[in-house]
Amino acid sequence: MTDLHFLEVVEVDLFKDQRGCLVVSESLNSAYFEVKRIYYISSTPTEESRGFHAHKKLKQLFFAVSGSFDLKVSDGDVFETVKVNAESNGYFLKNGFWRELSNFSSDAIVLVLASENYDAQDYIKTFDEFKEWRKRGAY
Ligand code: TYD
């Protein structure tokens, strides 16, 4: 695997048998943050992209429950991209990073665990504004 600088791999265990596949990741609260919110994204057309914003405070864990998608993140300077696949690991993204989700498979379901409740004020919605915010060292 290529070196990751912004994203951190979140290990999962797979339990596969004739009844199907069960995937588990444990001790997330102590390893990353106290989970306050979850949300999931489905039915994204394959040509659509999501995200295109940064969060000032919010930390997140990303998993593909089904299918796959590309997760591209940036510190305002360098970009890092991973493919998130069902039945493989998830990724932790700390606060203060730009994110873009794209290349969704037709069956992709994205599960996100979040450190904060929804707060529209926590979003930075343009890359230019994000770069300025990073330069100010506000994170
Ligand atoms: P948005 O953050 O724009 O999604 P994405 O980054 O995946 O493109 O959210 C889409 C809509 O859902 C927007 O109207 C805000 C709303 N929303 C909530 O109300 N609560 C939430 O926890 C989230 C993540 C989004």
Side-chain angles (χ1 to χ4, degrees):
M1 192 193 292
T2 49
D3 279 353
L4 294 174
H5 301 289
F6 307 145
L7 289 159
E8 189 179 320
V9 170
V10 180
E11 301 290 346
V12 299
D13 291 320
L14 257 69
F15 298 90
K16 248 182 177 171
D17 59 32
Q18 75 283 1
R19 299 169 301 164
C21 181
L22 187 152
V23 184
V24 61
S25 190
E26 282 196 282
S27 304
L28 299 176
N29 283 4
S30 52
Y32 302 102
F33 51 79
E34 186 191 341
V35 177
K36 291 208 179 129
R37 174 170 56 114
I38 70 159
Y39 61 90
Y40 35 93
I41 297 167
S42 58
S43 309
T44 301
T46 51
E47 69 279 9
E48 289 288 345
S49 305
R50 304 193 61 115
F52 292 87
H53 61 252
H55 282 289
K56 297 174 192 166
K57 274 181 64 184
L58 188 73
K59 300 177 175 68
Q60 290 170 304
L61 294 165
F62 292 89
F63 296 92
V65 173
S66 167
S68 65
F69 63 98
D70 289 350
L71 176 60
K72 184 173 178 180
V73 303
S74 176
D75 63 352
D77 185 21
V78 178
F79 282 85
E80 179 167 287
T81 307
V82 294
K83 184 165 278 299
V84 189
N85 282 295
E87 301 187 15
S88 69
N89 50 262
Y91 289 93
F92 168 59
L93 181 62
K94 48 185 177 288
N95 57 304
F97 285 87
W98 184 261
R99 84 283 324 283
E100 300 172 9
L101 282 66
S102 64
N103 205 16
F104 291 86
S105 63
S106 55
D107 58 346
I109 298 179
V110 181
L111 172 65
V112 183
L113 280 60
S115 66
E116 309 294 333
N117 290 326
Y118 178 70
D119 175 8
Q121 303 303 317
D122 192 58
Y123 284 63
I124 304 174
K125 291 195 169 171
T126 72
F127 197 65
D128 283 346
E129 197 191 331
F130 170 60
K131 279 197 290 193
E132 283 306 311
W133 180 81
R134 286 285 301 207
K135 263 189 218 146
R136 293 201 302 274
Y139 55 97

